[in-house]
Amino acid sequence: MSQSSTNEARYQRLSVMIVEDSQPMREVLRAMLQSVGVKNIIDARDGQHAIRKLSEYQVDLIITDWVMEEMDGIELTRWIRNDPVSPDEFLPIIMVSGHTESNRIEMARDAGVTEFIAKPLTGVGLIQRLVAVVEYPRPFVRTDDYFGPDRRRKVESFTGEERRAAELRDRDARSA
């Protein structure tokens, strides 16, 4: 069996919830997911609707818009990560937003979003995020004020003197 058919079979088994207040955008996301083999797709029009649906359906992944009336994607993410009645605090969450300022991306990350994708969406961008959360899940971290995927993208394998020596070599290489 080829790698692509293995991945397609894996995605066929995924259950994905799309949380988006715009019906046309839900349809675009649905078509993109179906193009990689996702068959079980559940729609929700906002965060409150998603919470109700999460009590009815088991999902493997949420793709949520940020800006929605009633309950936005950040509030939904915080509920999933921190509420005692959340069905799965480890649920991967991909946030979709047209607001791509660094402080907004940091706010999403700090709420516990697993991946962030900017609008306008591309099929390639969505697939990359899907592969990231399915094939390469990040470990979760719990601190006094945060619970969610490890926010560090680059994991250093060096500590102490070894790390400082590596940083000096990197700096010297850049200035050469």
mmCIF file of all heavy atoms in Angstrom, residues 108-145:
data_model
loop_
_atom_site.group_PDB
_atom_site.id
_atom_site.type_symbol
_atom_site.label_atom_id
_atom_site.label_comp_id
_atom_site.label_asym_id
_atom_site.label_seq_id
_atom_site.Cartn_x
_atom_site.Cartn_y
_atom_site.Cartn_z
ATOM 1 N N ALA A 108 -4.052 33.356 20.157
ATOM 2 C CA ALA A 108 -4.599 32.047 19.796
ATOM 3 C C ALA A 108 -3.712 30.936 20.358
ATOM 4 O O ALA A 108 -4.204 29.975 20.948
ATOM 5 C CB ALA A 108 -4.717 31.924 18.280
ATOM 6 N N ARG A 109 -2.411 31.075 20.181
ATOM 7 C CA ARG A 109 -1.463 30.076 20.706
ATOM 8 C C ARG A 109 -1.614 29.954 22.215
ATOM 9 O O ARG A 109 -1.683 28.851 22.759
ATOM 10 C CB ARG A 109 -0.035 30.503 20.343
ATOM 11 C CG ARG A 109 1.035 29.579 20.892
ATOM 12 C CD ARG A 109 2.373 30.253 21.010
ATOM 13 N NE ARG A 109 2.309 31.320 21.992
ATOM 14 C CZ ARG A 109 3.215 32.285 22.105
ATOM 15 N NH1 ARG A 109 4.237 32.340 21.299
ATOM 16 N NH2 ARG A 109 3.082 33.208 23.037
ATOM 17 N N ASP A 110 -1.707 31.085 22.901
ATOM 18 C CA ASP A 110 -1.793 31.082 24.362
ATOM 19 C C ASP A 110 -3.137 30.559 24.873
ATOM 20 O O ASP A 110 -3.244 30.152 26.029
ATOM 21 C CB ASP A 110 -1.501 32.472 24.917
ATOM 22 C CG ASP A 110 -0.050 32.884 24.707
ATOM 23 O OD1 ASP A 110 0.786 32.011 24.378
ATOM 24 O OD2 ASP A 110 0.254 34.083 24.857
ATOM 25 N N ALA A 111 -4.155 30.559 24.020
ATOM 26 C CA ALA A 111 -5.447 29.976 24.399
ATOM 27 C C ALA A 111 -5.409 28.451 24.296
ATOM 28 O O ALA A 111 -6.245 27.768 24.873
ATOM 29 C CB ALA A 111 -6.561 30.534 23.524
ATOM 30 N N GLY A 112 -4.423 27.929 23.533
ATOM 31 C CA GLY A 112 -4.306 26.477 23.390
ATOM 32 C C GLY A 112 -4.576 25.955 21.996
ATOM 33 O O GLY A 112 -4.735 24.748 21.805
ATOM 34 N N VAL A 113 -4.618 26.852 21.002
ATOM 35 C CA VAL A 113 -4.811 26.431 19.621
ATOM 36 C C VAL A 113 -3.608 25.594 19.191
ATOM 37 O O VAL A 113 -2.471 25.909 19.523
ATOM 38 C CB VAL A 113 -4.995 27.662 18.709
ATOM 39 C CG1 VAL A 113 -4.844 27.327 17.250
ATOM 40 C CG2 VAL A 113 -6.342 28.315 18.985
ATOM 41 N N THR A 114 -3.864 24.525 18.458
ATOM 42 C CA THR A 114 -2.802 23.634 18.015
ATOM 43 C C THR A 114 -2.096 24.192 16.786
ATOM 44 O O THR A 114 -0.871 24.174 16.702
ATOM 45 C CB THR A 114 -3.368 22.239 17.681
ATOM 46 O OG1 THR A 114 -4.225 21.822 18.746
ATOM 47 C CG2 THR A 114 -2.267 21.216 17.494
ATOM 48 N N GLU A 115 -2.848 24.662 15.815
ATOM 49 C CA GLU A 115 -2.309 25.239 14.581
ATOM 50 C C GLU A 115 -3.153 26.443 14.199
ATOM 51 O O GLU A 115 -4.322 26.537 14.566
ATOM 52 C CB GLU A 115 -2.334 24.229 13.432
ATOM 53 C CG GLU A 115 -1.356 23.088 13.569
ATOM 54 C CD GLU A 115 0.100 23.496 13.385
ATOM 55 O OE1 GLU A 115 0.376 24.490 12.674
ATOM 56 O OE2 GLU A 115 0.971 22.816 13.958
ATOM 57 N N PHE A 116 -2.560 27.347 13.429
ATOM 58 C CA PHE A 116 -3.234 28.572 12.995
ATOM 59 C C PHE A 116 -3.069 28.674 11.491
ATOM 60 O O PHE A 116 -1.980 28.431 10.969
ATOM 61 C CB PHE A 116 -2.577 29.778 13.682
ATOM 62 C CG PHE A 116 -3.289 31.078 13.480
ATOM 63 C CD1 PHE A 116 -4.202 31.532 14.419
ATOM 64 C CD2 PHE A 116 -3.048 31.860 12.354
ATOM 65 C CE1 PHE A 116 -4.865 32.741 14.242
ATOM 66 C CE2 PHE A 116 -3.703 33.066 12.163
ATOM 67 C CZ PHE A 116 -4.613 33.508 13.112
ATOM 68 N N ILE A 117 -4.149 29.020 10.795
ATOM 69 C CA ILE A 117 -4.065 29.223 9.351
ATOM 70 C C ILE A 117 -4.774 30.526 8.988
ATOM 71 O O ILE A 117 -5.859 30.813 9.492
ATOM 72 C CB ILE A 117 -4.637 28.020 8.568
ATOM 73 C CG1 ILE A 117 -4.390 28.178 7.078
ATOM 74 C CG2 ILE A 117 -6.085 27.793 8.886
ATOM 75 C CD1 ILE A 117 -4.633 26.918 6.271
ATOM 76 N N ALA A 118 -4.122 31.309 8.138
ATOM 77 C CA ALA A 118 -4.639 32.619 7.755
ATOM 78 C C ALA A 118 -5.600 32.505 6.580
ATOM 79 O O ALA A 118 -5.414 31.680 5.692
ATOM 80 C CB ALA A 118 -3.482 33.545 7.387
ATOM 81 N N LYS A 119 -6.626 33.342 6.619
ATOM 82 C CA LYS A 119 -7.498 33.509 5.464
ATOM 83 C C LYS A 119 -6.840 34.543 4.550
ATOM 84 O O LYS A 119 -6.207 35.469 5.056
ATOM 85 C CB LYS A 119 -8.883 34.019 5.888
ATOM 86 C CG LYS A 119 -9.723 33.000 6.611
ATOM 87 C CD LYS A 119 -11.069 33.625 6.979
ATOM 88 C CE LYS A 119 -11.949 32.671 7.751
ATOM 89 N NZ LYS A 119 -13.188 33.319 8.189
ATOM 90 N N PRO A 120 -6.952 34.453 3.259
ATOM 91 C CA PRO A 120 -7.716 33.444 2.543
ATOM 92 C C PRO A 120 -7.007 32.092 2.588
ATOM 93 O O PRO A 120 -5.776 32.012 2.510
ATOM 94 C CB PRO A 120 -7.791 33.988 1.118
ATOM 95 C CG PRO A 120 -6.616 34.886 0.985
ATOM 96 C CD PRO A 120 -6.343 35.421 2.354
ATOM 97 N N LEU A 121 -7.806 31.046 2.726
ATOM 98 C CA LEU A 121 -7.277 29.685 2.831
ATOM 99 C C LEU A 121 -6.795 29.183 1.483
ATOM 100 O O LEU A 121 -7.323 29.561 0.453
ATOM 101 C CB LEU A 121 -8.376 28.734 3.289
ATOM 102 C CG LEU A 121 -9.002 28.961 4.633
ATOM 103 C CD1 LEU A 121 -10.110 27.948 4.851
ATOM 104 C CD2 LEU A 121 -7.973 28.823 5.716
ATOM 105 N N THR A 122 -5.823 28.290 1.568
ATOM 106 C CA THR A 122 -5.462 27.506 0.391
ATOM 107 C C THR A 122 -5.599 26.044 0.784
ATOM 108 O O THR A 122 -5.455 25.692 1.958
ATOM 109 C CB THR A 122 -4.011 27.764 -0.057
ATOM 110 O OG1 THR A 122 -3.116 27.308 0.957
ATOM 111 C CG2 THR A 122 -3.768 29.242 -0.350
ATOM 112 N N GLY A 123 -5.876 25.209 -0.193
ATOM 113 C CA GLY A 123 -5.971 23.778 0.080
ATOM 114 C C GLY A 123 -4.663 23.250 0.643
ATOM 115 O O GLY A 123 -4.652 22.479 1.606
ATOM 116 N N VAL A 124 -3.546 23.698 0.078
ATOM 117 C CA VAL A 124 -2.234 23.242 0.540
ATOM 118 C C VAL A 124 -2.016 23.635 2.001
ATOM 119 O O VAL A 124 -1.561 22.831 2.814
ATOM 120 C CB VAL A 124 -1.108 23.801 -0.362
ATOM 121 C CG1 VAL A 124 0.260 23.537 0.238
ATOM 122 C CG2 VAL A 124 -1.207 23.222 -1.756
ATOM 123 N N GLY A 125 -2.355 24.879 2.346
ATOM 124 C CA GLY A 125 -2.175 25.339 3.728
ATOM 125 C C GLY A 125 -2.995 24.530 4.712
ATOM 126 O O GLY A 125 -2.508 24.151 5.780
ATOM 127 N N LEU A 126 -4.241 24.252 4.360
ATOM 128 C CA LEU A 126 -5.092 23.468 5.246
ATOM 129 C C LEU A 126 -4.551 22.039 5.377
ATOM 130 O O LEU A 126 -4.492 21.500 6.482
ATOM 131 C CB LEU A 126 -6.538 23.445 4.752
ATOM 132 C CG LEU A 126 -7.504 22.659 5.640
ATOM 133 C CD1 LEU A 126 -7.598 23.268 7.041
ATOM 134 C CD2 LEU A 126 -8.879 22.584 4.999
ATOM 135 N N ILE A 127 -4.135 21.450 4.266
ATOM 136 C CA ILE A 127 -3.609 20.081 4.299
ATOM 137 C C ILE A 127 -2.346 20.031 5.150
ATOM 138 O O ILE A 127 -2.143 19.094 5.928
ATOM 139 C CB ILE A 127 -3.322 19.553 2.865
ATOM 140 C CG1 ILE A 127 -4.564 19.602 1.987
ATOM 141 C CG2 ILE A 127 -2.705 18.164 2.910
ATOM 142 C CD1 ILE A 127 -5.831 19.070 2.561
ATOM 143 N N GLN A 128 -1.488 21.046 5.032
ATOM 144 C CA GLN A 128 -0.266 21.072 5.856
ATOM 145 C C GLN A 128 -0.608 21.076 7.340
ATOM 146 O O GLN A 128 0.016 20.369 8.126
ATOM 147 C CB GLN A 128 0.588 22.304 5.518
ATOM 148 C CG GLN A 128 1.268 22.214 4.190
ATOM 149 C CD GLN A 128 1.953 23.516 3.798
ATOM 150 O OE1 GLN A 128 1.589 24.602 4.270
ATOM 151 N NE2 GLN A 128 2.947 23.409 2.932
ATOM 152 N N ARG A 129 -1.608 21.856 7.741
ATOM 153 C CA ARG A 129 -1.997 21.904 9.156
ATOM 154 C C ARG A 129 -2.627 20.580 9.578
ATOM 155 O O ARG A 129 -2.392 20.090 10.673
ATOM 156 C CB ARG A 129 -2.979 23.040 9.423
ATOM 157 C CG ARG A 129 -2.532 24.460 9.197
ATOM 158 C CD ARG A 129 -1.079 24.739 9.486
ATOM 159 N NE ARG A 129 -0.685 26.111 9.304
ATOM 160 C CZ ARG A 129 -0.541 26.733 8.126
ATOM 161 N NH1 ARG A 129 -0.837 26.139 6.997
ATOM 162 N NH2 ARG A 129 -0.116 27.970 8.066
ATOM 163 N N LEU A 130 -3.422 19.998 8.702
ATOM 164 C CA LEU A 130 -4.048 18.709 8.985
ATOM 165 C C LEU A 130 -2.973 17.645 9.205
ATOM 166 O O LEU A 130 -3.015 16.896 10.181
ATOM 167 C CB LEU A 130 -4.980 18.322 7.832
ATOM 168 C CG LEU A 130 -5.767 17.037 7.969
ATOM 169 C CD1 LEU A 130 -6.767 17.140 9.105
ATOM 170 C CD2 LEU A 130 -6.487 16.721 6.660
ATOM 171 N N VAL A 131 -2.004 17.594 8.307
ATOM 172 C CA VAL A 131 -0.901 16.631 8.446
ATOM 173 C C VAL A 131 -0.140 16.899 9.743
ATOM 174 O O VAL A 131 0.207 15.961 10.474
ATOM 175 C CB VAL A 131 0.042 16.694 7.219
ATOM 176 C CG1 VAL A 131 1.339 15.940 7.467
ATOM 177 C CG2 VAL A 131 -0.670 16.149 5.990
ATOM 178 N N ALA A 132 0.098 18.172 10.065
ATOM 179 C CA ALA A 132 0.845 18.505 11.288
ATOM 180 C C ALA A 132 0.154 17.954 12.527
ATOM 181 O O ALA A 132 0.809 17.364 13.391
ATOM 182 C CB ALA A 132 1.026 20.024 11.410
ATOM 183 N N VAL A 133 -1.165 18.123 12.622
ATOM 184 C CA VAL A 133 -1.842 17.678 13.845
ATOM 185 C C VAL A 133 -2.090 16.173 13.871
ATOM 186 O O VAL A 133 -2.122 15.581 14.948
ATOM 187 C CB VAL A 133 -3.159 18.448 14.127
ATOM 188 C CG1 VAL A 133 -2.898 19.924 14.286
ATOM 189 C CG2 VAL A 133 -4.210 18.202 13.081
ATOM 190 N N VAL A 134 -2.250 15.551 12.704
ATOM 191 C CA VAL A 134 -2.524 14.112 12.662
ATOM 192 C C VAL A 134 -1.233 13.304 12.698
ATOM 193 O O VAL A 134 -1.101 12.349 13.464
ATOM 194 C CB VAL A 134 -3.363 13.753 11.411
ATOM 195 C CG1 VAL A 134 -3.497 12.248 11.265
ATOM 196 C CG2 VAL A 134 -4.736 14.404 11.485
ATOM 197 N N GLU A 135 -0.279 13.679 11.859
ATOM 198 C CA GLU A 135 0.950 12.890 11.715
ATOM 199 C C GLU A 135 2.025 13.250 12.744
ATOM 200 O O GLU A 135 2.841 12.401 13.096
ATOM 201 C CB GLU A 135 1.536 13.073 10.307
ATOM 202 C CG GLU A 135 0.555 12.812 9.176
ATOM 203 C CD GLU A 135 0.204 11.347 9.023
ATOM 204 O OE1 GLU A 135 1.042 10.500 9.364
ATOM 205 O OE2 GLU A 135 -0.918 11.065 8.570
ATOM 206 N N TYR A 136 2.051 14.501 13.171
ATOM 207 C CA TYR A 136 3.122 14.970 14.063
ATOM 208 C C TYR A 136 2.551 15.734 15.258
ATOM 209 O O TYR A 136 2.830 16.916 15.439
ATOM 210 C CB TYR A 136 4.092 15.876 13.288
ATOM 211 C CG TYR A 136 4.624 15.227 12.041
ATOM 212 C CD1 TYR A 136 4.108 15.548 10.780
ATOM 213 C CD2 TYR A 136 5.621 14.264 12.123
ATOM 214 C CE1 TYR A 136 4.582 14.933 9.636
ATOM 215 C CE2 TYR A 136 6.103 13.643 10.976
ATOM 216 C CZ TYR A 136 5.578 13.981 9.739
ATOM 217 O OH TYR A 136 6.056 13.367 8.604
ATOM 218 N N PRO A 137 1.736 15.077 16.076
ATOM 219 C CA PRO A 137 1.133 15.797 17.214
ATOM 220 C C PRO A 137 2.201 16.260 18.203
ATOM 221 O O PRO A 137 3.187 15.566 18.436
ATOM 222 C CB PRO A 137 0.205 14.755 17.834
ATOM 223 C CG PRO A 137 0.750 13.442 17.401
ATOM 224 C CD PRO A 137 1.396 13.663 16.066
ATOM 225 N N ARG A 138 1.993 17.467 18.719
ATOM 226 C CA ARG A 138 2.921 18.006 19.713
ATOM 227 C C ARG A 138 2.502 17.569 21.108
ATOM 228 O O ARG A 138 1.309 17.404 21.376
ATOM 229 C CB ARG A 138 2.933 19.533 19.641
ATOM 230 C CG ARG A 138 3.630 20.013 18.382
ATOM 231 C CD ARG A 138 3.780 21.498 18.360
ATOM 232 N NE ARG A 138 2.478 22.087 18.062
ATOM 233 C CZ ARG A 138 2.142 23.325 18.370
ATOM 234 N NH1 ARG A 138 2.968 24.107 18.985
ATOM 235 N NH2 ARG A 138 0.952 23.778 18.058
ATOM 236 N N PRO A 139 3.459 17.401 21.995
ATOM 237 C CA PRO A 139 3.098 17.063 23.377
ATOM 238 C C PRO A 139 2.354 18.231 24.028
ATOM 239 O O PRO A 139 2.518 19.377 23.628
ATOM 240 C CB PRO A 139 4.454 16.824 24.054
ATOM 241 C CG PRO A 139 5.448 17.544 23.209
ATOM 242 C CD PRO A 139 4.900 17.549 21.802
ATOM 243 N N PHE A 140 1.556 17.912 25.030
ATOM 244 C CA PHE A 140 0.822 18.940 25.762
ATOM 245 C C PHE A 140 1.590 19.333 27.014
ATOM 246 O O PHE A 140 2.328 18.522 27.577
ATOM 247 C CB PHE A 140 -0.577 18.446 26.109
ATOM 248 C CG PHE A 140 -1.580 18.707 25.025
ATOM 249 C CD1 PHE A 140 -1.416 18.157 23.768
ATOM 250 C CD2 PHE A 140 -2.670 19.524 25.253
ATOM 251 C CE1 PHE A 140 -2.328 18.401 22.758
ATOM 252 C CE2 PHE A 140 -3.595 19.771 24.251
ATOM 253 C CZ PHE A 140 -3.425 19.209 22.996
ATOM 254 N N VAL A 141 1.382 20.583 27.421
ATOM 255 C CA VAL A 141 2.072 21.157 28.566
ATOM 256 C C VAL A 141 1.028 21.738 29.513
ATOM 257 O O VAL A 141 0.065 22.359 29.068
ATOM 258 C CB VAL A 141 3.027 22.293 28.101
ATOM 259 C CG1 VAL A 141 3.638 23.017 29.273
ATOM 260 C CG2 VAL A 141 4.087 21.753 27.158
ATOM 261 N N ARG A 142 1.224 21.534 30.814
ATOM 262 C CA ARG A 142 0.348 22.141 31.808
ATOM 263 C C ARG A 142 1.206 22.979 32.750
ATOM 264 O O ARG A 142 2.167 22.485 33.331
ATOM 265 C CB ARG A 142 -0.411 21.085 32.598
ATOM 266 C CG ARG A 142 -1.450 21.697 33.555
ATOM 267 C CD ARG A 142 -2.237 20.669 34.336
ATOM 268 N NE ARG A 142 -2.932 19.693 33.517
ATOM 269 C CZ ARG A 142 -4.140 19.880 32.959
ATOM 270 N NH1 ARG A 142 -4.767 21.018 33.113
ATOM 271 N NH2 ARG A 142 -4.701 18.920 32.250
ATOM 272 N N THR A 143 0.863 24.268 32.855
ATOM 273 C CA THR A 143 1.512 25.148 33.817
ATOM 274 C C THR A 143 0.409 25.805 34.636
ATOM 275 O O THR A 143 -0.775 25.512 34.439
ATOM 276 C CB THR A 143 2.364 26.239 33.116
ATOM 277 O OG1 THR A 143 1.495 27.113 32.387
ATOM 278 C CG2 THR A 143 3.406 25.633 32.179
ATOM 279 N N ASP A 144 0.787 26.712 35.529
ATOM 280 C CA ASP A 144 -0.219 27.399 36.339
ATOM 281 C C ASP A 144 -1.215 28.192 35.492
ATOM 282 O O ASP A 144 -2.381 28.317 35.845
ATOM 283 C CB ASP A 144 0.450 28.345 37.343
ATOM 284 C CG ASP A 144 1.176 27.600 38.438
ATOM 285 O OD1 ASP A 144 0.891 26.394 38.633
ATOM 286 O OD2 ASP A 144 2.046 28.210 39.092
ATOM 287 N N ASP A 145 -0.752 28.737 34.350
ATOM 288 C CA ASP A 145 -1.630 29.592 33.562
ATOM 289 C C ASP A 145 -1.798 29.142 32.113
ATOM 290 O O ASP A 145 -2.275 29.901 31.278
ATOM 291 C CB ASP A 145 -1.142 31.037 33.606
ATOM 292 C CG ASP A 145 0.260 31.194 33.049
ATOM 293 O OD1 ASP A 145 0.928 30.178 32.779
ATOM 294 O OD2 ASP A 145 0.686 32.349 32.871
#
